[in-house]
Amino acid sequence: MQKTSSMPSVLITGCLGGIGLALVHEFSQNGYYVIGLDKAEQLPSNATAVDAYISCDLNKIAVDVTCLSELLTKLKSLTKNKLDVLINNAAYQAVKKIEDITHIDWQLTQNINVHAPFLLTQGLLHELESAQGSVINIASIHASLTKSEFIAYATSKAALIGMSRAMAVELGSRVRVNAISPAAIATPMLEEGFDGRPEARQQLNEMHPVGRIGMASEVARTCLLLANMELGFLTGANIALDGGIGARLHDPV
């Protein structure tokens, strides 16, 4: 089927990561015109389902008004005044002790994880409202349950959830806004971190009541569900996609 920009459209930031590629695949397979945004200058061969690609460093749009204006101009020309879904998926993670976090670490985390989603939603509000569209912010379990050395990331994701709720209240029926907070997801980056440590990887599975960690495809299917216009009453929610680990009490043996 020849895809055109007259079809339902979705903008996915961080479209080339593990979750991003799953989002691209899911929305493309379900008839969406997929606009992808990521830092790579060229679209790689494994992202052929992206219909239109924009190379952009989201940190720059948070600090440079000209860069933001240029990006919004490109996006508006692609969306033709109508955007059905905006998925703020791109994220930056600085894993460091409090005393080692630099000003740049902190600012990059907040710029990419919080400021950029706000600026994109604000800048594309007309297009989203024209479609009675939906904004989906990919947050994290770290917003409520975190661990050492994740303070910058956890703070940014908690802010993203708070922003999602506030936007939902203010925008009301104009544009729905929801968040998803995944726990551990089996992306290539996560799997590389367990390379040569199969016992630790199995232990991570067993920590989750369902007996495994999540799949990127499950995040994508949840986003597709949230984007459904038939769920017009669902806004201001934070979906805990965590395999039950958020409800589990870990007591000493």
Side-chain angles (χ1 to χ4, degrees):
M1 178 178 64
Q2 181 66 36
K3 297 177 73 178
T4 68
S5 55
S6 63
M7 303 169 68
S9 56
V10 57
L11 169 60
I12 302 169
T13 71
C15 69
L16 302 182
I19 292 176
L21 287 171
L23 287 165
V24 167
H25 174 79
E26 189 69 26
F27 278 82
S28 178
Q29 289 295 305
N30 282 275
Y32 279 79
Y33 182 81
V34 178
I35 303 168
L37 188 153
D38 214 306
K39 289 199 303 182
E41 292 187 7
Q42 301 292 330
L43 196 63
S45 58
N46 63 341
T48 55
V50 174
D51 299 298
Y53 179 71
I54 296 177
S55 173
C56 177
D57 181 348
L58 290 179
N59 180 58
K60 290 183 179 179
I61 74 166
V63 298
D64 187 333
V65 174
T66 300
C67 183
L68 172 62
S69 178
E70 290 173 351
L71 173 62
L72 291 175
T73 297
K74 291 177 184 178
L75 290 171
K76 288 173 184 290
S77 69
L78 288 170
T79 58
K80 311 297 183 185
N81 295 315
K82 182 175 174 289
L83 178 63
D84 295 272
V85 188
L86 166 60
I87 304 178
N88 290 304
N89 168 64
Y92 180 81
Q93 190 177 88
V95 182
K96 293 184 178 181
K97 295 178 180 179
I98 291 175
E99 55 267 35
D100 295 330
I101 293 175
T102 66
H103 174 80
I104 292 175
D105 292 330
W106 187 267
Q107 205 61 53
L108 271 173
T109 306
Q110 311 313 316
N111 283 350
I112 294 172
N113 298 0
V114 185
H115 300 165
F118 171 78
L119 292 170
L120 286 174
T121 303
Q122 181 190 55
L124 296 170
L125 192 55
H126 169 74
E127 286 72 18
L128 287 160
E129 191 171 0
S130 295
Q132 290 186 296
S134 173
V135 177
I136 304 168
N137 294 319
I138 306 300
S140 169
I141 193 172
H142 281 276
S144 56
L145 299 169
T146 192
K147 54 188 178 181
S148 296
E149 302 187 11
F150 277 80
I151 186 169
Y153 184 73
T155 299
S156 71
K157 292 302 185 177
L160 185 62
I161 292 171
M163 185 179 75
S164 301
R165 290 176 175 146
M167 281 186 169
V169 169
E170 183 166 340
L171 296 177
S173 62
R174 295 162 58 193
V175 177
R176 293 187 300 114
V177 184
N178 292 290
I180 299 175
S181 287
I185 301 296
T187 61
M189 183 180 296
L190 180 141
E191 299 295 3
E192 287 172 10
F194 285 94
D195 189 33
R197 299 189 299 140
E199 297 85 2
R201 178 64 175 79
Q202 180 57 31
Q203 187 178 34
L204 179 63
N205 280 339
E206 293 170 356
M207 287 179 178
H208 295 76
V210 297
R212 63 174 178 84
I213 65 173
M215 304 298 293
S217 59
E218 292 173 310
V219 179
R221 286 195 292 271
T222 304
C223 285
L224 186 68
L225 178 66
L226 287 175
N228 191 327
M229 291 184 66
E230 294 182 3
L231 295 179
F233 199 56
L234 182 58
T235 191
N238 175 40
I239 308 298
L241 190 65
D242 63 4
I245 197 171
R248 186 171 193 171
L249 180 63
H250 291 271
D251 281 341
V253 177

